[in-house]
């Protein structure tokens, strides 16, 4: 696996790729303060698709951008799809990444054949406690992660690796990400049945940050959708329960697109 980059307005956007012998792709979009490594387990999915995980602008190995916004993240994904000449693209988004995937789909519906929602929602209000700790006391934000983002019995090693990754992101960038989430509200648009592509909705039973209710909302208003609640997992299901997540994605792809 190599780590190349695309060029967005003269700046580098890094991505990891497991290549296929066609132009089909699943693009994995990480959540607030995370980076492409969060999807490491999903880059070994056994399907003949290019599996791509990007570092959003100002995250990990991507260049620093002065102003972060949902539109910039949508543009980074669009740039990747166009520069790699990808066709038949499925977007998979976690948390903030799910907001990017929805917004991308609303702007470029013709480029997307499917959506995978992983612990996310059509509205993502953020607790003022999280925003305050990010602004004033980053350590207290990090300290809240094991209880806030994970199932109580998730292995310490998995949590440690996650904290190691999010510590790479400057606190101001993570704060911007959560502010973008806090302002994201597409409940009404989703309610109108605007999402028409096959959609897979995955959520941890113990997810406190994007509770099951958010996923049920997608299930209720996306006609062609299926939902799986994953037991003994919190907000970080793709690292907490990679086997279950991968199986669900493989079955979804095989059943719906092969
Ligand atoms: N899908 C479906 N329903 C949703 C939703 C979604 N994505 N987002 C909010 N709602 C519903 C809520 O369940 C609530 O319904 P109710 O009035 O029947 O109880 C209503 O919309 C309003 O909720 P919300 O927008 O969240 O505002 P609030 O003032 O009630 O609560 C918070 C604000 C921040 C306390 C709350 O959103 C919260 O606890 N969030 C989870 C923690 C967090 O910070 N997550 C980070 C996400 S990135």
């Amino acid at each position: 696996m190599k780590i190349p980059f695309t060029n967005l307005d003269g700046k580098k956007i890094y991505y990891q790729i497991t290549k296929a012998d066609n132009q089909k792709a699943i693009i994995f979009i990480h959540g607030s303060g995370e980076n492409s490594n969060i999807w490491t387990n999903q880059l070994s999915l056994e399907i003949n698709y290019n599996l791509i995980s990007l570092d959003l602008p100002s995250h990990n190995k991507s260049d620093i951008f002065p102003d972060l916004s949902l539109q910039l993240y949508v543009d980074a994904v669009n740039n990747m799809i166009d520069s790699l000449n990808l066709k038949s693209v499925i977007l998979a988004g976690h948390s903030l990444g799910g907001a990017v995937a929805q917004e991308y789909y609303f702007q470029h519906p013709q480029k997307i054949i499917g959506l995978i929602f992983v612990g996310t929602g059509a509205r993502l209000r953020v607790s003022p406690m999280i925003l305050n700790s990010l602004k004033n006391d980053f350590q207290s934000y990090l300290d809240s992660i094991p209880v806030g983002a994970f199932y109580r019995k998730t292995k310490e090693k998995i949590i440690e690796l996650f904290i190691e990754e999010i510590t790479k992101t400057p606190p101001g960038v993570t704060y911007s990400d959560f502010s973008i989430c806090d302002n994201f509200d597409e409940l009404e648009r989703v309610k109108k049945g605007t999402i028409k592509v096959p959609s897979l909705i995955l959520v941890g039973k113990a997810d406190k940050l994007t509770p099951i209710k958010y996923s049920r909302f997608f299930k209720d208003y996306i006609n062609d959708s299926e939902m799986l609640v994953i037991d003994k997992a919190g907000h970080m299901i793709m690292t907490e329960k990679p086997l279950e997540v991968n199986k669900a994605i493989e079955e979804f792809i095989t059943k719906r697109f092969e």
Side-chain angles (χ1 to χ4, degrees):
M1 191 184 303
K2 59 177 181 168
I3 307 182
F5 61 87
T6 57
N7 189 311
L8 178 66
D9 300 333
K11 292 178 188 283
K12 288 176 186 165
I13 301 292
Y14 273 89
Y15 62 98
Q16 305 185 41
I17 184 166
T18 307
K19 279 198 173 167
D21 56 9
N22 56 48
Q23 291 167 293
K24 298 190 285 187
I26 305 185
I27 300 182
F28 292 94
I29 311 167
H30 63 76
S32 296
E34 299 168 3
N35 64 56
S36 58
N37 292 330
I38 204 73
W39 299 105
T40 298
N41 291 303
Q42 284 64 48
L43 293 181
S44 61
L45 279 168
E46 293 192 5
I47 42 177
N48 192 19
Y49 277 65
N50 290 286
L51 302 170
I52 297 169
S53 177
L54 78 157
D55 286 339
L56 288 171
S58 295
H59 293 73
N60 199 29
K61 296 184 175 164
S62 286
D63 281 346
I64 303 285
F65 287 64
D67 298 307
L68 302 180
S69 64
L70 187 59
Q71 189 58 52
L72 177 70
Y73 294 167
V74 166
D75 291 346
V77 172
N78 194 41
N79 178 268
M80 188 144 297
I81 291 175
D82 288 351
S83 4
L84 301 181
N85 194 24
L86 301 171
K87 309 285 179 208
S88 305
V89 175
I90 295 166
L91 295 181
H94 175 239
S95 210
L96 165 72
V100 179
Q102 287 169 76
E103 203 56 41
Y104 187 89
Y105 173 74
F106 295 140
Q107 293 183 21
H108 307 277
Q110 74 290 355
K111 291 188 181 178
I112 298 301
I113 61 163
L115 290 165
I116 302 174
F117 297 112
V118 183
T120 187
R123 172 175 162 102
L124 292 170
R125 287 287 310 283
V126 178
S127 140
M129 255 171 58
I130 296 181
L131 290 171
N132 282 339
S133 62
L134 281 168
K135 209 165 199 176
N136 304 315
D137 184 1
F138 191 63
Q139 188 55 47
S140 75
Y141 165 71
L142 294 179
D143 292 344
S144 73
I145 296 285
V147 170
F150 288 89
Y151 172 62
R152 63 190 164 82
K153 288 189 178 167
T154 290
K155 286 191 184 122
E156 261 176 46
K157 187 74 199 155
I158 291 174
I159 301 176
E160 275 167 20
L161 280 174
F162 178 76
I163 291 180
E164 202 178 303
E165 290 301 331
I166 59 167
T167 309
K168 292 178 186 169
T169 310
V173 171
T174 305
Y175 178 81
S176 283
D177 285 350
F178 275 107
S179 302
I180 292 168
C181 287
D182 200 36
N183 287 305
F184 180 73
D185 183 0
E186 290 290 9
L187 285 179
E188 287 310 312
R189 188 144 37 168
V190 172
K191 212 169 184 172
K192 285 187 187 132
T194 315
I195 299 182
K196 297 192 190 306
V197 288
S199 300
L200 173 66
I201 306 150
L202 302 174
V203 62
K205 197 171 179 181
D207 189 334
K208 297 185 194 108
L209 292 175
T210 51
I212 296 176
K213 181 180 180 183
Y214 295 8
S215 285
R216 287 221 178 91
F217 182 87
F218 282 137
K219 179 75 191 87
D220 287 346
Y221 294 105
I222 304 176
N223 203 20
D224 192 356
S225 64
E226 53 191 91
M227 172 175 163
L228 178 68
V229 178
I230 297 181
D231 204 13
K232 297 183 179 163
H235 189 54
M236 304 308 309
I237 38 177
M238 66 289 221
T239 65
E240 295 181 90
K241 292 285 170 190
L243 294 178
E244 288 82 347
V245 167
N246 285 11
K247 183 167 176 278
I249 297 177
E250 282 165 3
E251 284 178 2
F252 173 67
I253 301 291
T254 311
K255 204 162 58 182
R256 305 311 311 270
F257 302 105
E258 297 293 281

